[in-house]
Amino acid sequence: ALISLGGVAALAQDWPAKPVRIIFPYAVGGSGDAVARNLAKRIEIATNQTVTVENITGGGTIVAAQSVVNSAPDGTKLFFTGTESMSVIKHTNGRLPIDPEKVLTPITFVNTLPHWLVVRADRGEKTLPEFIEFIRKNPGKVNVSVNSIGGAAHLSLASWAKNNNLNFTIVPYRGSAPAMIVLLGGVTTAPVDVVGSSLPFVKHHKAKALSLLQ
């Protein structure tokens, strides 16, 4: 994940001179959201200025990116997102209203978030090979969710399906939290999720992890 800002502006050394908003393009409740809020607290401590997190979902992170680009280039509105928002999405969506690489300025990398494939705790599969076998026996009937369109989880899952000749449907949701809710409700078969987002469900035996997705 990285922090970016819109426009090109000469920021004073006493930044920030007024409250800062961190725009996060996914739903509340995921591990990325927790990282964004922890980052906000650290900036508050370092600058003695109010920093808030605003969740703006939709458009594969582009709606949030646009809100930053359309704001004043004074450094008080930051974009906290995955690298897919900066470099990948324009190659997977030919109708973007902006080119993130041209209108956003990267500031720094913040952290990395590994993904894994999880299923409900009451499913019979205990290993990834067993889950693969289930997909092969039920071609086209398995739904695997991801936390955004064109993101790291989506691309990794699509690549994994192609490399293993697997036939299943990829279903994107606006964040990890909604994807886990539909999993537990029996709507989807499994999500590829950020480890930190679904770890509490695994610890409380509501879901089980089969493998990190390579």
Side-chain angles (χ1 to χ4, degrees):
L2 53 82
I3 278 283
S4 303
L5 55 82
V8 178
L11 302 181
Q13 291 184 352
D14 60 350
W15 177 92
K18 56 183 180 179
V20 174
R21 283 187 293 166
I22 296 177
I23 307 302
F24 185 65
Y26 303 108
V28 175
S31 58
D33 180 66
V35 173
R37 295 178 189 281
N38 182 57
L39 177 64
K41 291 180 181 179
R42 290 176 178 269
I43 296 176
E44 280 190 339
I45 293 171
T47 64
N48 198 32
Q49 185 60 267
T50 300
V51 183
T52 58
V53 176
E54 182 178 350
N55 300 77
I56 301 178
T57 62
T61 74
I62 290 301
V63 174
Q66 277 188 287
S67 75
V68 176
V69 172
N70 294 335
S71 65
D74 58 4
T76 61
K77 202 170 185 180
L78 308 177
F79 187 37
F80 180 58
T81 185
T83 53
E84 65 268 14
S85 297
M86 294 294 294
S87 58
V88 176
I89 195 170
K90 72 177 186 178
H91 300 292
T92 58
N93 187 334
R95 298 182 179 181
L96 291 181
I98 60 174
D99 183 340
E101 290 184 322
K102 293 181 179 179
V103 298
L104 291 167
T105 302
I107 299 173
T108 185
F109 281 100
V110 177
N111 71 325
T112 58
L113 298 172
H115 293 73
W116 60 7
L117 189 142
V118 302
V119 296
R120 280 178 31 158
D122 58 1
R123 286 197 63 86
E125 299 84 20
K126 296 181 179 180
T127 65
L128 185 60
E130 290 177 353
F131 187 69
I132 292 175
E133 184 63 21
F134 176 79
I135 296 174
R136 295 194 190 283
K137 291 180 178 179
N138 298 274
K141 297 181 180 180
V142 174
N143 297 315
V144 181
S145 65
V146 292
N147 58 7
S148 70
I149 298 175
H154 190 171
L155 296 179
S156 296
L157 183 60
S159 176
W160 179 71
K162 181 178 180 181
N163 291 338
N164 290 278
N165 194 27
L166 299 175
N167 179 11
F168 59 86
T169 301
I170 299 177
V171 185
Y173 285 86
R174 293 184 178 183
S176 296
M180 286 302 300
I181 290 172
V182 295
L183 169 73
L184 299 180
V187 178
T188 56
T189 314
V192 170
D193 192 32
V194 177
V195 171
S197 296
S198 48
L199 185 59
F201 297 94
V202 174
K203 286 185 174 180
H204 288 87
H205 307 292
K206 294 182 178 180
K208 55 186 174 184
L210 300 184
S211 175
L212 288 174
L213 193 66
Q214 303 294 332

